[in-house]
Amino acid sequence: METSTKDRILDTTAAMFRRYGYTGTGLKQVVQRANAPFGSLYHHFPGGKEELGGEVIRRSGKMYEDLVMAIFASGATLEEGLANVFSGAAAVLRETDYADACPIATVALEVASTSEPLRKATVEVFDGWIVAATLRFVTAGISETKARDLAIGMIAALEGAFVLARATRSTEALEVAGKMSLLALEAARG
Amino acid sequence: METSTKDRILDTTAAMFRRYGYTGTGLKQVVQRANAPFGSLYHHFPGGKEELGGEVIRRSGKMYEDLVMAIFASGATLEEGLANVFSGAAAVLRETDYADACPIATVALEVASTSEPLRKATVEVFDGWIVAATLRFVTAGISETKARDLAIGMIAALEGAFVLARATRSTEALEVAGKMSLLALEAARG
DNA sequence: GTCTATAGAAGGATAGAC
DNA sequence: GTCTATCCTTCTATAGAC
């Protein structure tokens, strides 16, 4: 138990955001689950829920970027890596009873029309993903403009498949989205 | 003003779900905006928020299905209709300051791990969309299995693009997703 | 079937002792 | 920097007059 109170609060909030969303996550529940006194929350995050939320979005977003990019780089070929991203996401969903998909998608939709600071935090995350994925495609020899489209298409397909998969409790959409992304890659390679 | 109290409550809730989500929508705000007395809500929806939410999900989902399918059928060709779905969605987003995307996506993610009755309502909606879109592809001469994949791929691409578009306040993702869906259609036609 | 009032719980936030 | 107690608002839900 060497984690700090602040880290426990951040980790707990991240886990709750993923399943219950932003408005669905209560600060009292957070400190209870994190085994932290209520006052510590406002000591570490004077800006309250919005400040905590912003840090969690950026932190979860970066961690997920690292995870996905590692899987993306895991394949022997670019195609294999791309396929692994979708099959890996499907495996995690099945293992977590369709709870753990994108860590910020629910929150991103919730705050898009309700909090500018939080919306901007989600944009930073998505931009980071797009840049990272674009770089991967470019490194594999694809032109900059095509690479960006592939990156955005892959992320959109993944996010959309997550919506369908979490609702239906099936990974069918992830398999279809994976195949569709591979097709786009094929076309870009010409 | 010939709308009934019940219809006003349903319409108002639908509009609020779209922007603020399920937990972000308060029943007091609903009745206030709908110009309805609070008691009427529980008169028409004895099951409270969950019953109201279920009806709104099904109703909004069906209306959106009709709208999208009408646009899908609007083009001279299947390809044109498909492109119109994405460009039409982009136009609506721009016109509504990136607020009005999918009417149930936010709610679907919120309730996926918190309410079985509501999750099932979202599944019904998504299944309806998949069936309708599949039928459209089949009618155009595509095999049943390929048509279903195209339908799921199109809906996933649209939903994922909505997430990115609402967050970034840009329609770039919708354009990319539209192109990606067209590519999938091309490949299916072989 | 309409409407008001209020209960009872949970929400975010703050004060202040230690 | 830790922790408790409490404030005020908002939430869902109910009771009961009309």
Side-chain angles (χ1 to χ4, degrees):
Chain A
M1 249 352 147
E2 51 213 8
T3 57
S4 69
T5 299
K6 185 173 182 179
D7 280 342
R8 283 204 314 282
I9 290 175
L10 285 167
D11 290 343
T12 303
T13 307
M16 295 184 70
F17 275 7
R18 205 165 195 159
R19 300 184 184 195
Y20 313 123
Y22 182 76
T23 45
T25 297
L27 297 186
K28 286 180 181 174
Q29 304 166 31
V30 167
V31 294
Q32 190 179 355
R33 288 206 200 187
N35 266 326
F38 195 78
S40 291
L41 197 155
Y42 279 88
H43 171 72
H44 293 293
F45 307 95
K49 192 178 190 181
E50 203 167 48
E51 181 181 347
L52 170 62
E55 279 205 36
V56 168
I57 289 169
R58 290 187 175 83
R59 185 184 159 104
S60 300
K62 186 77 183 86
M63 287 176 66
Y64 199 64
E65 176 183 321
D66 293 343
L67 173 70
V68 172
M69 285 305 138
I71 297 172
F72 197 6
S74 72
T77 64
L78 187 63
E79 280 76 6
E80 203 179 308
L82 183 60
N84 287 347
V85 167
F86 287 87
S87 62
V92 171
L93 267 181
R94 280 189 298 264
E95 286 161 15
T96 60
D97 200 27
Y98 295 93
D100 286 358
C102 172
I104 70 155
T106 311
V107 174
L109 288 177
E110 285 181 283
V111 304
S113 302
T114 57
S115 164
E116 269 302 284
L118 293 184
R119 183 188 69 78
K120 282 175 183 158
T122 66
V123 175
E124 280 182 39
V125 169
F126 289 134
D127 275 346
W129 295 2
I130 293 172
V131 167
T134 300
L135 183 63
R136 170 86 177 119
F137 286 117
V138 167
T139 302
I142 294 170
S143 77
E144 186 78 36
T145 58
K146 283 187 179 177
R148 182 177 169 86
D149 276 11
L150 281 173
I152 292 175
M154 176 183 97
I155 294 167
L158 188 64
E159 290 291 356
F162 275 151
V163 174
L164 293 177
R166 287 199 62 203
T168 61
R169 292 182 175 272
S170 153
T171 54
E172 183 184 14
L174 277 165
E175 289 147 24
V176 173
K179 279 191 280 183
M180 189 165 63
S181 297
L182 272 178
L183 209 61
L185 172 54
E186 235 177 71
R189 285 206 137 139
Chain B
M1 247 357 144
E2 53 213 8
T3 57
S4 69
T5 299
K6 186 173 182 179
D7 281 342
R8 285 203 313 282
I9 290 175
L10 286 168
D11 291 342
T12 303
T13 306
M16 294 185 70
F17 275 7
R18 205 167 196 158
R19 300 183 185 195
Y20 313 124
Y22 182 75
T23 46
T25 298
L27 297 185
K28 285 184 179 173
Q29 305 166 31
V30 167
V31 294
Q32 191 178 356
R33 288 205 199 187
N35 266 327
F38 194 78
S40 291
L41 197 153
Y42 279 88
H43 172 71
H44 294 292
F45 308 96
K49 193 178 189 180
E50 202 166 48
E51 182 182 347
L52 170 62
E55 280 205 34
V56 168
I57 288 168
R58 291 187 175 83
R59 184 183 159 107
S60 300
K62 186 76 183 88
M63 287 176 66
Y64 198 64
E65 176 184 323
D66 293 343
L67 173 69
V68 171
M69 286 304 138
I71 297 174
F72 198 6
S74 71
T77 64
L78 186 63
E79 280 76 5
E80 202 178 309
L82 183 60
N84 287 347
V85 168
F86 287 87
S87 62
V92 171
L93 268 181
R94 279 189 300 263
E95 286 161 16
T96 60
D97 200 28
Y98 295 94
D100 285 358
C102 171
I104 71 156
T106 310
V107 174
L109 287 177
E110 284 181 282
V111 305
S113 301
T114 57
S115 165
E116 269 302 284
L118 294 184
R119 182 188 71 78
K120 282 175 183 158
T122 66
V123 174
E124 280 180 39
V125 170
F126 289 133
D127 275 346
W129 295 1
I130 292 172
V131 168
T134 299
L135 183 64
R136 170 86 177 119
F137 286 117
V138 167
T139 302
I142 295 170
S143 78
E144 185 77 36
T145 58
K146 282 186 181 178
R148 182 176 169 87
D149 276 10
L150 281 173
I152 292 175
M154 175 182 97
I155 293 166
L158 188 65
E159 291 289 358
F162 275 152
V163 175
L164 293 177
R166 286 200 64 204
T168 60
R169 294 182 173 272
S170 153
T171 53
E172 184 184 13
L174 278 164
E175 290 148 23
V176 173
K179 280 191 280 182
M180 189 164 63
S181 298
L182 273 178
L183 209 61
L185 173 55
E186 235 177 71
R189 287 205 137 142

